[in-house]
Amino acid sequence: MNDNALIKVVELKKHYTGGAVKALDGVNCEIQKGEVVVVIGPSGSGKSTFLRSLNLLEIPTGGQILFNGTDITAPKTNINKHRQKMGMVFQHFNLFPNMTVLKNMTCAPVTILKKSKEEAEKKALELLDRVGLKDRADAYPSQLSGGQKQRVAIVRALCMEPEVMLFDEPTSALDPEMVGEVLDVMKNLAEQGMTMIVVTHEMGFAKEVASRVIFMDEGVIAEEGTPDEIFGNPKSERLKSFLGKVLI
Amino acid sequence: MFEWFWNFIDELKFVFGEGRWELIVDGFLNTLKITAGALVVGIVIGILIAAVRSSFDKNKETMKLHGGAGYVILAILNAISKVYLTVIRGTPVVVQLMICYFVVFVSADDGVPVAIFAFGINSGAYVAEIFRAGIMSIDHGQFEAGRSLGFNYFQTMRYIVIPQMFKAVLPTLCNEFIALLKETSVAGYVGVMDLTKSGNIVAGRTFEYFIPLFTVAIIYLVMVMILSSLVGKLERRLRKSER
């Protein structure tokens, strides 16, 4: 493949308790700019660990992650600078409960990027408008529904103008009727060309939006391909049995 | 009909007459000075110790992996903090106060700064554990969200964790301040004339115990009530975001 991959992962390992537990056991992959990669797999397969390793919320015990050609696992790398370029959305939203929606979105750009308050708020309101929450700018997170919280969490990450967005099961903690509104926002984001890596159980979303699907099992990438290949023509037995168990 | 009342007034005039009320005022002011000073010293020490202890607990796994001088320094600071907590919480405050006055600052002629120092060091140990419990009670996801936005460790603490922690620990902290205020009543042991001591002096001079001691008790009670209501107000204001 080509060398200008945005993210290149080489033999990534994460072992616990001296190698007895292998959450990741040699993951290799490349992600190009503009790709929407959906990671699927049974629970415990290491997909969340993989995603969290990409911005070093989990420190890998072996292997390399190259981001724009620099090895971010090297001790000298400025982790904070790197994380600014990688937005992350969590399963449990993790909004700051003591701040309004607007403050949630502006505190990082103002403090870290040294943007003026006005500039940061203008940008935040613009983004809120895009996800249909402009009128909730002054609300506190506890006053929002789950779907609204997750939409705010997505635009909060976007306020830092990241190059990549990571989604760690963004709809798993939502009531069923709220899943759609969050997926719509993500679909929109994908259409605008954002590079996205999404860990999810929403197979419909994977089929429709993904440019590539990665199936993980037991800490490695067991199979990868376009959604048509993965869902229409699975090769490995493990993927077949996994797809047989999940409702599509 | 109101004879008992006039008798009581006469009694008050006798007990606090000849300038003896000034003793009580001086004692009250000293108690305020010691409490306020110790409060500031205690909070500063508390924040530092809690920061060291919780940073160590949160980061030891990852820092061990990366190794380096940072881990060693933090481990040493953590060990020092633990010794401090053990010694301070394991010995009576009166003994600590007397050691400060009679051993450490032998040449001090004013006992008030020494008392501020001693009570501050003492209170710091308790405040540190209150803060640490508060930091540990904040969901780890908050911390991860801060880091994932690009805040460094200290910024995450400063802007995200500590404001939430403060709200969570406010009632416990208020409790500690009340305890501190009342604990300063042992300052008389090292010759500081605090509120309790002044009441005792007035009682000793007039051979009247009822009025001076009850006066002192009521002043303490009113101070504690004012402090609690202030903290209650602050708590309600901070709680706004939860509604």
Side-chain angles (χ1 to χ4, degrees):
Chain A
M1 284 173 92
N2 67 42
D3 275 348
N4 7 330
L6 184 61
I7 301 171
K8 185 173 179 180
V9 179
V10 186
E11 277 302 309
L12 192 68
K13 290 195 175 84
K14 174 76 180 180
H15 292 180
Y16 293 101
T17 54
V21 182
K22 294 172 178 164
L24 295 179
D25 200 19
V27 174
N28 292 289
C29 77
E30 280 184 16
I31 289 154
Q32 312 295 333
K33 203 166 165 38
E35 266 192 304
V36 177
V37 176
V38 171
V39 185
I40 59 172
S43 68
S45 59
K47 49 194 196 307
S48 271
T49 310
F50 169 62
L51 193 76
R52 289 160 56 82
S53 297
L54 293 178
N55 71 355
L56 299 184
L57 285 179
E58 302 281 350
I59 309 283
T61 47
Q64 281 182 318
I65 302 166
L66 301 172
F67 183 72
N68 278 331
T70 39
D71 182 4
I72 60 166
T73 54
K76 274 185 201 145
T77 313
N78 184 339
I79 298 180
N80 304 312
K81 269 260 147 21
H82 166 67
R83 283 184 179 136
Q84 289 165 27
K85 296 177 202 147
M86 253 186 195
M88 174 116 184
V89 176
F90 299 88
Q91 183 178 354
H92 296 288
F93 330 126
N94 296 349
L95 294 178
F96 309 131
N98 55 333
M99 303 177 191
T100 61
V101 166
L102 199 60
K103 190 85 207 305
N104 258 284
M105 296 173 69
T106 54
C107 71
V110 169
T111 318
I112 302 169
L113 302 180
K114 306 287 176 216
K115 279 193 180 181
S116 72
K117 192 165 168 259
E118 293 73 33
E119 195 188 348
E121 284 183 355
K122 190 167 160 266
K123 167 103 184 157
L125 287 171
E126 228 175 82
L127 284 164
L128 276 178
D129 198 22
R130 252 169 55 189
V131 298
L133 288 172
K134 198 173 183 182
D135 55 328
R136 305 313 308 268
D138 293 321
Y140 282 95
S142 59
Q143 299 161 329
L144 303 178
S145 73
Q148 291 175 328
K149 280 182 200 169
Q150 196 60 300
R151 283 186 277 160
V152 170
I154 293 171
V155 286
R156 175 176 73 177
L158 289 177
C159 276
M160 291 297 286
E161 291 164 13
E163 291 176 40
V164 189
M165 285 285 285
L166 310 176
F167 294 83
D168 190 3
E169 306 202 19
T171 57
S172 299
L174 295 177
D175 289 341
E177 78 264 29
M178 292 173 180
V179 170
E181 61 190 68
V182 172
L183 291 182
D184 281 344
V185 169
M186 291 167 62
K187 217 182 291 175
N188 239 307
L189 199 56
E191 280 160 10
Q192 284 159 20
M194 174 63 78
T195 313
M196 293 163 60
I197 307 172
V198 187
V199 170
T200 186
H201 295 293
E202 295 293 331
M203 299 303 156
F205 176 81
K207 267 185 179 169
E208 194 182 337
V209 183
S211 50
R212 187 150 55 105
V213 177
I214 289 178
F215 172 65
M216 284 188 74
D217 193 28
E218 293 179 357
V220 293
I221 293 178
E223 198 168 330
E224 64 180 302
T226 64
D228 286 345
E229 288 166 359
I230 293 286
F231 295 111
N233 185 23
K235 293 184 196 76
S236 65
E237 277 311 308
R238 286 190 290 185
L239 178 54
K240 278 180 199 162
S241 84
F242 172 75
L243 291 175
K245 280 180 209 148
V246 296
L247 298 169
I248 302 179
Chain B
M1 190 179 173
F2 289 110
E3 203 169 336
W4 63 270
F5 180 75
W6 298 115
N7 282 344
F8 182 68
I9 295 292
D10 283 344
E11 195 88 336
L12 281 180
K13 275 184 185 158
F14 165 66
V15 170
F16 294 117
E18 294 168 23
R20 280 187 286 269
W21 62 274
E22 285 175 13
L23 288 174
I24 302 283
V25 171
D26 284 351
F28 169 71
L29 290 178
N30 274 342
T31 289
L32 272 190
K33 268 188 232 164
I34 296 170
T35 307
L39 208 86
V40 173
V41 175
I43 288 178
V44 170
I45 293 178
I47 287 176
L48 292 177
I49 300 280
V52 167
R53 297 255 289 143
S54 54
S55 311
F56 183 76
D57 286 348
K58 268 191 202 292
N59 297 335
K60 61 181 168 193
E61 300 304 321
T62 50
M63 285 183 93
K64 243 184 211 162
L65 270 178
H66 277 296
Y71 176 74
V72 178
I73 292 170
L74 200 56
I76 292 172
L77 287 175
N78 185 56
I80 294 172
S81 304
K82 271 186 169 172
V83 171
Y84 163 77
L85 291 175
T86 310
V87 171
I88 295 298
R89 293 195 298 171
T91 53
V93 65
V94 190
V95 177
Q96 291 164 15
L97 179 67
M98 293 204 289
I99 289 176
C100 280
Y101 189 74
F102 295 117
V103 181
V104 182
F105 299 105
V106 196
S107 53
D109 39 270
D110 184 3
V112 173
V114 180
I116 288 175
F117 178 82
F119 286 115
I121 297 270
N122 181 270
S123 181
Y126 295 94
V127 173
E129 286 299 88
I130 292 170
F131 281 167
R132 190 173 68 93
I135 291 171
M136 290 312 194
S137 78
I138 302 300
D139 178 21
H140 193 62
Q142 292 290 311
F143 196 80
E144 289 188 340
R147 296 307 301 271
S148 78
L149 283 171
F151 285 111
N152 65 32
Y153 180 83
F154 292 101
Q155 288 171 326
T156 309
M157 280 291 178
R158 157 82 180 75
Y159 293 106
I160 291 152
V161 178
I162 290 182
Q164 294 182 50
M165 173 279 277
F166 188 70
K167 195 165 83 176
V169 302
L170 208 53
T172 333
L173 206 56
C174 172
N175 223 12
E176 165 59 21
F177 293 162
I178 289 173
L180 173 65
L181 172 66
K182 292 181 297 180
E183 258 175 15
T184 60
S185 63
V186 298
Y189 269 89
V190 296
V192 175
M193 200 191 59
D194 73 318
L195 185 55
T196 306
K197 182 81 174 176
S198 68
N200 209 13
I201 291 174
V202 171
R205 290 197 187 158
T206 56
F207 301 108
E208 275 286 344
Y209 283 85
F210 181 85
I211 290 176
L213 293 185
F214 268 84
T215 305
V216 165
I218 289 167
I219 294 175
Y220 276 115
L221 182 63
V222 171
M223 281 200 279
V224 169
M225 283 163 67
I226 291 173
L227 186 64
S228 318
S229 83
L230 285 180
V231 173
K233 271 202 187 109
L234 184 61
E235 226 175 289
R236 277 193 294 281
R237 243 184 47 198
L238 289 176
R239 194 135 293 165
K240 228 172 36 193
S241 58
E242 276 166 25
R243 266 185 248 129

